[in-house]
Amino acid sequence: IEPSFKENFGAIEDLLQKRPGHFLLGEKFSYAECITAPWIQRFYVTLPYFRGIDLDKDVLKRFHSLPTWAKAVCNRPSCIASKCPETEMIAACKRYYVSFVSSGAKGHL
C-alpha cells in the first residue's frame, strides 16, 4: 500500500479522534461522509479484487477510529440504498482504471 494512501487515512483518523461520535462532525452524518461514502464502498470492493488488499485487515486495523467510521458510513441506510452494485464497480474499474494495476499485484483483471 502506498505511503501517501496511509497518510491520508491518518489525517482522517486525527479528525475523528478530536470529536465524539462516529462521524467527522461527531454524532452527525455530514456532507463530508456523503462525499467519501462512494470511495469507501469502492475500496471495500476494488482493493481486494485488483490488489489483494483487505481494507479492514490490511489498512484500517492500524487505526483506532477509522474502522468504526468506515463501518458507520457504509452501514448508513442512505449509503446502502445508493450503493453501486459490486459487479458494476468491478466492471467500471476494468474499463477505466486497469492501467493503474501494478504488475505483480495480487488481484486480477
Side-chain angles (χ1 to χ4, degrees):
I1 298 172
E2 298 293 323
S4 61
F5 188 72
K6 292 179 194 174
E7 288 171 21
N8 288 328
F9 273 135
I12 297 169
E13 174 74 12
D14 291 343
L15 288 171
L16 289 166
Q17 289 197 0
K18 294 176 184 174
R19 292 169 174 82
H22 299 308
F23 300 110
L24 290 170
L25 296 180
E27 296 296 332
K28 293 184 178 185
F29 188 83
S30 72
Y31 189 62
E33 278 85 22
C34 290
I35 301 237
T36 56
W39 289 100
I40 297 297
Q41 291 169 336
R42 284 184 203 119
F43 291 154
Y44 274 109
V45 174
T46 60
L47 285 176
Y49 187 90
F50 289 105
R51 300 284 185 149
I53 296 169
D54 181 294
L55 184 63
D56 286 324
K57 293 178 186 173
D58 298 328
V59 180
L60 298 182
K61 74 175 186 177
R62 297 181 169 109
F63 301 98
H64 175 73
S65 300
L66 260 171
T68 303
W69 173 75
K71 292 297 181 191
V73 169
C74 287
N75 290 329
R76 182 159 170 95
S78 59
C79 292
I80 292 169
S82 63
K83 182 180 177 186
C84 179
E86 292 183 9
T87 55
E88 288 183 30
M89 284 186 213
I90 298 294
C93 285
K94 284 182 177 181
R95 285 191 307 269
Y96 302 111
Y97 306 122
V98 133
S99 63
F100 294 107
V101 176
S102 303
S103 59
K106 294 180 184 176
H108 54 276
L109 300 175

